[in-house]
Amino acid sequence: MNAEYLTILRSSIKKQKSVKAQDQLKSKEWTKSCYELLAKLIHAKLMDTLNREQIIKIGSSISYKTLIKIFSKDYRISYPIDPRSLNTFNKLSIFCGYKGWNEFCNYAKETQAKKLVKKKPNKKLETVLSNALIESYKAIAELDLNGKTDIKQFYKTNSSAWKKLEEVVHHYKAKNCIIKNQFNPSTFELIDLKVESITDKKAFVNTKEFWLLCWYDEVEKKYIKRYKTISDHKYLLVQEKSGWKIKTNITTSDFIQN
């Protein structure tokens, strides 16, 4: 997914109106001066989009040398993402019209999932689980399982996987902890996904996931918990009339840390 997200990001940058309006940036091969021009365009957009507090927090400029690295096909994102790189990806995401890197990643996941379905119809199961994890992160971020996400369409009602997610949401909601406060670095990344076995009625899917959840206490106005892990998961999905549903999430990781 790493390289695919970067490909989508590069494409999104080139599709921006300010970029397309520059004759110099219409060439297939970009030179140093092209990246210098792009850096100026990004700076101008950020200065126009961000408020003073945001500019102080993440900055409004990007080095043309950094852009050259990101546009290199050999460039890879390392996980967990260090704060400096996260700042860079936040700025590029904002330039492309997103609130930040997390929102862009959700878009990239959905875009890649649609491509998989079109290219290989039998990849539908992988698409379902990918989207389910996106919605799982959203549900945790929103601390809501009912109206703000599409989470319920991916989980079997009253299953162990659903109850585990429900427990996380209720636990942190009761403690007045959130991950939606401004500039919160929390993120989720699906690193790997493989279908182990599949029949007409059930399927086992293995994943490797990166989770960073930085819980902020709204009462004390400070960060009090930090959950950070790269973990393996085995999901059992069952086929229902409305589609594949997650029934079990087997993993040694535990989102709830007292």
Side-chain angles (χ1 to χ4, degrees):
M1 292 293 185
N2 185 320
E4 292 161 357
Y5 287 1
L6 286 173
T7 298
I8 296 171
L9 178 61
R10 296 180 194 115
S11 177
S12 296
I13 290 171
K14 288 188 174 183
K15 287 179 181 178
Q16 297 308 302
K17 289 182 180 180
S18 60
V19 175
K20 292 171 70 176
Q22 302 295 324
D23 291 336
Q24 184 179 349
L25 300 181
K26 291 179 181 178
S27 59
K28 290 184 178 180
E29 298 295 329
W30 282 7
T31 62
K32 173 187 172 183
S33 62
C34 292
Y35 290 104
E36 289 175 334
L37 175 56
L38 178 59
K40 291 179 181 178
L41 295 175
I42 292 171
H43 173 67
K45 174 68 176 291
L46 294 177
M47 288 298 292
D48 187 54
T49 304
L50 302 179
N51 59 41
R52 184 172 179 275
E53 184 180 351
Q54 290 173 312
I55 291 173
I56 293 173
K57 184 72 176 181
I58 69 173
S60 62
S61 62
I62 293 180
S63 165
Y64 78 89
K65 292 181 180 179
T66 298
L67 292 172
I68 290 175
K69 289 180 182 178
I70 290 174
F71 273 80
S72 167
K73 291 183 180 179
D74 295 327
Y75 184 83
R76 293 291 182 271
I77 303 172
S78 59
Y79 294 99
I81 302 177
D82 63 87
R84 186 175 178 180
S85 296
L86 182 59
N87 262 358
T88 295
F89 288 118
N90 274 327
K91 285 184 276 191
L92 291 174
S93 299
I94 292 168
F95 176 70
C96 292
Y98 300 91
K99 293 180 180 179
W101 179 241
N102 287 346
E103 186 175 277
F104 175 81
C105 284
N106 289 340
Y107 161 75
K109 288 183 182 78
E110 292 166 1
T111 299
Q112 189 57 30
K114 290 176 182 177
K115 287 182 179 179
L116 284 173
V117 171
K118 289 181 180 178
K119 289 172 64 177
K120 298 180 180 180
N122 62 341
K123 292 288 184 179
K124 185 174 182 180
L125 182 63
E126 294 181 12
T127 302
V128 168
L129 187 50
S130 296
N131 287 335
L133 292 177
I134 292 171
E135 294 303 317
S136 296
Y137 178 82
K138 288 181 182 178
I140 293 173
E142 296 288 347
L143 290 178
D144 183 89
L145 296 168
N146 296 310
K148 295 182 180 180
T149 72
D150 296 324
I151 187 66
K152 286 189 174 181
Q153 68 174 291
F154 295 108
Y155 282 80
K156 183 175 177 61
T157 304
N158 293 324
S159 64
S160 62
W162 174 260
K163 290 179 180 178
K164 182 183 292 187
L165 182 61
E166 194 174 44
E167 182 183 13
V168 173
V169 170
H170 290 166
H171 175 82
Y172 287 107
K173 193 171 185 177
K175 290 182 174 291
N176 296 307
C177 292
I178 62 172
I179 61 172
K180 278 190 65 179
N181 55 302
Q182 193 172 31
F183 305 123
N184 189 305
S186 296
T187 187
F188 155 76
E189 182 68 30
L190 176 58
I191 299 173
D192 191 30
L193 186 156
K194 293 180 181 178
V195 176
E196 180 182 303
S197 63
I198 180 172
T199 66
D200 291 340
K201 295 183 178 180
K202 68 179 182 179
F204 286 97
V205 181
N206 299 322
T207 68
K208 183 178 290 292
E209 303 168 16
F210 168 68
W211 288 84
L212 173 61
L213 303 177
C214 300
W215 292 103
Y216 181 83
D217 190 309
E218 290 190 286
V219 176
E220 297 185 16
K221 303 298 180 184
K222 66 179 183 179
Y223 289 96
I224 61 170
K225 297 178 186 296
R226 186 169 182 262
Y227 173 82
K228 177 182 176 183
T229 184
I230 294 178
S231 53
D232 295 318
H233 297 251
K234 180 188 286 290
Y235 291 92
L236 167 62
L237 292 89
V238 292
Q239 181 73 276
E240 297 188 346
K241 290 182 179 180
S242 56
W244 288 103
K245 306 285 185 180
I246 297 174
K247 182 178 180 180
T248 307
N249 173 10
I250 304 171
T251 180
T252 56
S253 64
D254 185 1
F255 285 5
I256 297 178
Q257 296 182 347
N258 295 313

